[in-house]
Amino acid sequence: MRRLIWRIFWFAMAAVFVPGLFAVLSVGRIPVPAVVLIGGLLLGSGLYGAIYWGLIPHLRTLDELTQFLQKIPGQRFTQRLYHDPLSEAAPFIRALNQLLDQIEIQMNIGEEYRQRLISLLENMASGVMLLDPRGRILLVNAMAERLLGSSRKELIGRQHIAASHHYELGQLIDRCLQSGQRFKQELTVYYPQERVLDVHLSPIARPGGGKGGVVVVMHDITEIRRLERLRSEFVANVSHELRTPLTAVKGFAETLLDGAMHEPETLQAFLEIILHESDRLHRMIGELLDLSKIESGQVRLDFRRIHLKEHLEAVLRLVHVEAEERQLTLQLHVEDDPVIEADPDRFRQILLNLLSNAVTYTPPGGKIELFAESRPDGAWVRVRDTGIGIPKEDLPHLFERFYRVDKARSRESGGTGLGLAIVKHLVEAHHGRIEVESELGSGSQFSVFFPARQPDMPE
């Protein structure tokens, strides 16, 4: 500032001296009014020139500063203004650069928190939706898009009623907006697919008071409810299945105690029934424990390279006597003796269960065939019979626990209703798959694929 004052002072002195000199030299030659007019114009021009000349550096600095400030928003406060440290504007520019440093630091911190928040929202297993006080959607995360069945572009900026397709959810949001209270409710939605949602709604309070909108958090609990329903059904089925043999054992034991034990033939018959029902009860409990261990992954499979023909022949020998008693024909067809990686004991358990079912449900004079077909990535093992067949409506439920197509015949044969459920889980434990084809009155075919190599087996 001092340099500016001195610059203007000396230029002003020059501006005063030149008109004065002109007036002195012009006295007597030029009329006084003309001298005064010309001197005044020279003095005014000189003073204007002095002030303008003194301000030129500062005008240039202001122009640079204006252009710099206009560029700052697009450069996200990363640029700095370089200046002459001896200029009068140096302290101001230094302060400006320090201010920009602080703004950049705060922006970087804000951007870091923003990225963390985005990462948190996008990786949440729950759907999150933010609405303003008027019910317009401001933000949704990826899970909310999936649960609501609409993309971000379709949701953001629109009223929640028009965008979400869920009437009950819309009613909850309106209640939360109007009352300013928290809500928690379990809803069943049917778009884009049937789901059970645990919905939490929380109002947002503004710092100065008033309503600031609503945060909606949606948890998909469809699988939890399904498992709870299966558990309830399982408990009910187990209770029913255990009650049947226990009732028979208790009833015949009471009859014997009432005096029937003194009749040798009746005693023998009743004791055989009690033994039969006790064996069935023992098998059922054993299979329940086996199934529980398989499902929970407690059964460790001893995978080995096995030749199918050898094991298929061994399983056929186990059912040969029963098949002969029922006048059934057993046939084995093996292509190229396929080799797979499997647990030998569990492999035989799978095949024995399927063959036992075929023997049980095939009328006398029927035929049961066992096929082994080699494939580049594994082998198919098929059990085909000419039995009673399975109705189409029963096929989707065939591998459920305690499900029986012919309940009377199954209980009569001592079946527990758990065999095919165990087969399915053992096949999946071998990383294979099982398929069934059947026509009522014509027979059934169960096909099991076993991979040539197990994924976790060393080379």
Side-chain angles (χ1 to χ4, degrees), residues 284-313:
M284 186 184 302
I285 293 172
E287 289 186 356
L288 276 171
L289 292 173
D290 203 14
L291 182 59
S292 176
K293 289 178 181 178
I294 295 169
E295 287 183 332
S296 61
Q298 296 179 24
V299 174
R300 297 185 64 85
L301 300 181
D302 181 18
F303 290 118
R304 302 177 187 174
R305 293 181 65 79
I306 63 173
H307 291 265
L308 288 188
K309 186 176 181 180
E310 173 190 348
H311 290 270
L312 296 179
E313 289 173 345

Side-chain angles (χ1 to χ4, degrees), residues 5 8-9 48 81 87 95 110 124 138 153-154 158 162 175 196 285 335 356 381 383 445 448:
I5 294 172
I8 294 176
F9 172 77
Y48 175 79
L81 183 62
S87 70
M124 284 180 66
L138 301 178
K153 291 182 180 179
E154 296 172 322
R158 298 181 62 192
R175 285 172 60 192
V196 181
I285 293 172
E335 291 182 4
S356 297
V381 178
V383 177
Q445 175 175 283
V448 185

Side-chain angles (χ1 to χ4, degrees), residues 242-455:
L242 292 177
R243 187 185 297 117
T244 302
L246 287 174
T247 301
V249 170
K250 184 174 183 292
F252 286 112
E254 288 174 347
T255 303
L256 290 175
L257 290 173
D258 287 341
M261 61 185 299
H262 301 295
E263 301 174 15
E265 292 183 2
T266 304
L267 176 62
Q268 178 71 23
F270 281 14
L271 288 177
E272 287 178 358
I273 293 172
I274 290 173
L275 179 61
H276 175 77
E277 294 297 330
S278 299
D279 287 341
R280 180 164 166 259
L281 189 60
H282 183 267
R283 282 196 303 274
M284 186 184 302
I285 293 172
E287 289 186 356
L288 276 171
L289 292 173
D290 203 14
L291 182 59
S292 176
K293 289 178 181 178
I294 295 169
E295 287 183 332
S296 61
Q298 296 179 24
V299 174
R300 297 185 64 85
L301 300 181
D302 181 18
F303 290 118
R304 302 177 187 174
R305 293 181 65 79
I306 63 173
H307 291 265
L308 288 188
K309 186 176 181 180
E310 173 190 348
H311 290 270
L312 296 179
E313 289 173 345
V315 175
L316 281 177
R317 285 194 293 270
L318 294 176
V319 298
H320 181 72
V321 174
E322 186 180 357
E324 277 192 343
E325 290 176 355
R326 296 178 61 86
Q327 300 174 8
L328 302 175
T329 303
L330 296 178
Q331 293 182 355
L332 175 63
H333 310 276
V334 180
E335 291 182 4
D336 303 328
D337 190 14
V339 178
I340 62 169
E341 288 180 351
D343 183 310
D345 294 334
R346 296 299 180 175
F347 175 81
R348 292 190 185 190
Q349 183 180 355
I350 292 169
L351 268 296
L352 182 59
N353 195 298
L354 295 177
L355 283 170
S356 297
N357 283 347
V359 170
T360 300
Y361 294 102
T362 302
K367 183 170 67 173
I368 299 172
E369 296 176 277
L370 186 57
F371 298 86
E373 302 168 4
S374 181
R375 295 289 184 271
D377 55 344
W380 281 98
V381 178
R382 308 184 195 274
V383 177
R384 183 185 301 164
D385 63 54
T386 58
I388 61 175
I390 304 167
K392 286 186 178 180
E393 60 270 18
D394 289 318
L395 290 176
H397 309 285
L398 204 57
F399 298 99
E400 295 176 6
R401 300 165 177 159
F402 300 113
Y403 191 83
R404 295 183 177 92
V405 177
D406 187 340
K407 296 178 175 58
R409 178 177 293 198
S410 178
R411 287 199 178 94
E412 199 176 293
S413 65
T416 63
L418 295 170
L420 287 179
I422 292 174
V423 165
K424 178 176 179 290
H425 282 90
L426 285 177
V427 170
E428 290 176 350
H430 281 78
H431 303 96
R433 60 185 184 274
I434 184 168
E435 301 172 358
V436 58
E437 303 169 46
S438 185
E439 187 175 341
L440 195 60
S442 300
S444 306
Q445 175 175 283
F446 286 82
S447 303
V448 185
F449 177 78
F450 293 94
R453 296 193 62 81
Q454 295 297 325

Side-chain angles (χ1 to χ4, degrees), residues 65-80 100 103 107:
L65 185 59
T66 301
Q67 293 179 12
F68 173 74
L69 292 175
Q70 288 174 343
K71 294 177 181 178
I72 280 180
Q75 296 168 347
R76 300 185 61 80
F77 301 93
T78 57
Q79 294 292 100
R80 296 295 178 268
L100 292 175
I103 293 174
M107 283 193 64

Side-chain angles (χ1 to χ4, degrees), residues 186-260:
E186 193 172 297
L187 301 177
T188 301
V189 298
Y190 301 94
Y191 180 88
Q193 66 186 64
E194 185 174 349
R195 283 191 176 99
V196 181
L197 302 180
D198 184 26
V199 182
H200 297 252
L201 298 95
S202 301
I204 303 172
R206 287 180 174 173
K211 299 175 182 177
V214 170
V215 174
V216 182
V217 181
M218 299 168 285
H219 308 285
D220 187 356
I221 58 172
T222 308
E223 186 64 15
I224 295 173
R225 292 293 176 262
R226 187 186 72 84
L227 293 174
E228 288 177 352
R229 187 179 68 254
L230 289 177
R231 183 178 62 183
S232 300
E233 292 173 355
F234 176 69
V235 171
N237 287 332
V238 169
S239 302
H240 175 73
E241 294 295 333
L242 292 177
R243 187 185 297 117
T244 302
L246 287 174
T247 301
V249 170
K250 184 174 183 292
F252 286 112
E254 288 174 347
T255 303
L256 290 175
L257 290 173
D258 287 341

